[in-house]
Amino acid sequence: MLPELEIARIYDEHASSVFGLFLKFARDSNDARDLLQDWLVKIGRSDGLPDDLRNERSWCLKTAYRLAVDWSRKKGSHARTIEAFEDRPRAFDFFETENDPDRELIRLGIEEALSSLPRDQQLVATLKIWDELSFREIGEVLDISANTASSRYRYAVEKIRAELKNLYSEICEP
Amino acid sequence: MNEENWKTFKPLAPPEKWREEIIGAATAVRAPRNLNLLTMWNGLGAAALTACWISIGIFHLATPKSDSAWAESIAKRIPPRQPASVTLLSQRLNLNPEYYE
């Protein structure tokens, strides 16, 4: 069991990344909150972090990913959950809102582009760009090879760029 | 604009008001496994004690309240004895029944 201070430290350092991952699975922010709580309870009950831990963030994301996949399976079949997720309009944001109108427009564009990706590509792109994990670490988190992570990332970035192309030209026009 | 620029957008963090609740829940629920075992033993003990009291209650209800009623109930359960016939008695004792009859 982890001491309370250690639990609080893990929450403060990794809750944002883990929450971001849960938002990719959840139907709404309440689900994401429940998942976040379940994840921290699981961490609190564990005997501590593994001794051979190279990257605490990637270990936290790995435990969170497994929890989210289990949660999806419990909610119905995994495939059905993915379909339901992809069909419905998203009711929450992935990023904080921006004060600058141009940046806000780009933020919305990135969110739109990310939402249009299949979830496996969404996760790889998020873990690489915003959590700054290496492809090897992403592979460990998602139980895929580093090469698969790399190719998913390439597809994701290409798609996001294509989606944002028109928006950029609109904003950059004098 | 490339990935380096996208990185400048900050991912949504969980609301601050959740922090205390979630950490509190994780701290409270991380109750030691021994305690769970203890709870299990307590549960088993309580179940055994309840079963014991129920048995005593059933026995108490099924038992007649006075001595005479008790004797009556016992008497009802024992089949009436048949008087032993001379023939049967003679056979058991290896005697000649004709002599006794």
Side-chain angles (χ1 to χ4, degrees), chain A residues 2 6 9-10 43 46-51 53 56 59-60:
Chain A
L2 290 180
E6 183 69 352
R9 182 192 67 75
I10 290 174
I43 297 274
S46 69
D47 296 326
L49 307 179
D51 295 332
L53 197 62
E56 194 175 284
W59 179 78
C60 286

Side-chain angles (χ1 to χ4, degrees), chain B:
Chain B
M1 224 185 205
N2 56 22
E3 297 95 293
E4 286 305 311
N5 300 103
W6 301 345
K7 210 183 276 185
T8 59
F9 293 94
K10 204 175 166 200
L12 200 67
E16 188 56 34
K17 65 178 177 184
W18 291 0
R19 186 183 178 279
E20 292 310 312
E21 290 170 19
I22 290 178
I23 292 174
T27 311
V29 182
R30 93 207 139 115
R33 287 167 198 151
N34 292 346
L35 193 67
N36 292 340
L37 203 65
L38 194 70
T39 311
M40 191 187 80
W41 280 115
N42 282 346
L44 282 174
L49 203 63
T50 310
C52 202
W53 277 113
I54 289 171
S55 311
I56 290 170
I58 290 170
F59 183 74
H60 179 72
L61 289 174
T63 309
K65 299 291 173 294
S66 65
D67 286 350
S68 57
W70 167 264
E72 268 175 34
S73 74
I74 295 292
K76 273 180 197 165
R77 284 178 214 169
I78 299 170
R81 280 191 171 186
Q82 296 294 324
S85 69
V86 170
T87 315
L88 192 67
L89 205 62
S90 310
Q91 277 173 357
R92 293 242 174 115
L93 298 171
N94 263 344
L95 299 171
N96 182 6
E98 286 173 11
Y99 178 80
Y100 291 96
E101 280 175 354

Side-chain angles (χ1 to χ4, degrees), chain A residues 5-40:
Chain A
L5 277 178
E6 183 69 352
I7 293 176
R9 182 192 67 75
I10 290 174
Y11 182 89
D12 291 338
E13 288 184 15
H14 307 297
S16 289
S17 296
V18 169
F19 184 62
L21 185 140
F22 287 146
L23 284 177
K24 311 275 185 308
F25 284 83
R27 291 166 306 180
D28 52 42
S29 58
N30 289 331
D31 281 345
R33 188 205 177 283
D34 289 346
L35 280 166
L36 189 63
Q37 182 164 316
D38 289 349
W39 168 76
L40 200 67

Side-chain angles (χ1 to χ4, degrees), chain A:
Chain A
M1 278 185 318
L2 290 180
E4 189 175 348
L5 277 178
E6 183 69 352
I7 293 176
R9 182 192 67 75
I10 290 174
Y11 182 89
D12 291 338
E13 288 184 15
H14 307 297
S16 289
S17 296
V18 169
F19 184 62
L21 185 140
F22 287 146
L23 284 177
K24 311 275 185 308
F25 284 83
R27 291 166 306 180
D28 52 42
S29 58
N30 289 331
D31 281 345
R33 188 205 177 283
D34 289 346
L35 280 166
L36 189 63
Q37 182 164 316
D38 289 349
W39 168 76
L40 200 67
V41 165
K42 206 173 172 184
I43 297 274
R45 277 181 172 163
S46 69
D47 296 326
L49 307 179
D51 295 332
D52 58 343
L53 197 62
R54 285 190 298 262
N55 183 339
E56 194 175 284
R57 171 71 52 87
S58 88
W59 179 78
C60 286
L61 286 164
K62 186 177 182 168
T63 52
Y65 176 71
R66 287 181 178 172
L67 187 72
V69 169
D70 285 347
W71 178 85
S72 293
R73 284 181 183 146
K74 274 182 198 164
K75 286 279 169 188
S77 83
H78 199 170
R80 269 209 314 273
T81 312
I82 291 170
E83 278 170 22
F85 175 83
E86 286 171 353
D87 288 347
R88 74 191 150 72
R90 204 161 39 82
F92 46 85
D93 295 330
F94 287 154
F95 300 100
E96 288 182 8
T97 49
E98 296 283 333
N99 294 326
D100 179 66
D102 284 351
R103 275 184 65 81
E104 178 62 6
L105 215 60
I106 295 169
R107 179 188 75 84
L108 291 172
I110 293 173
E111 290 215 348
E112 202 62 42
L114 263 179
S115 304
S116 69
L117 295 175
R119 184 161 51 186
D120 51 4
Q121 291 181 16
Q122 256 182 50
L123 287 170
V124 170
T126 311
L127 293 174
K128 178 72 182 156
I129 299 171
W130 287 278
D131 293 310
E132 300 181 332
L133 298 188
S134 67
F135 288 124
R136 188 178 53 76
E137 287 166 340
I138 294 172
E140 283 172 8
V141 170
L142 303 178
D143 281 332
I144 54 174
S145 72
N147 285 336
T148 308
S150 165
S151 60
R152 282 183 190 174
Y153 176 71
R154 208 172 51 247
Y155 288 129
V157 168
E158 277 171 15
K159 283 182 192 170
I160 297 171
R161 276 189 185 146
E163 290 269 343
L164 293 178
K165 200 176 171 186
N166 291 336
L167 187 65
Y168 285 153
S169 54
E170 212 175 280
I171 291 170
C172 295
E173 267 176 18

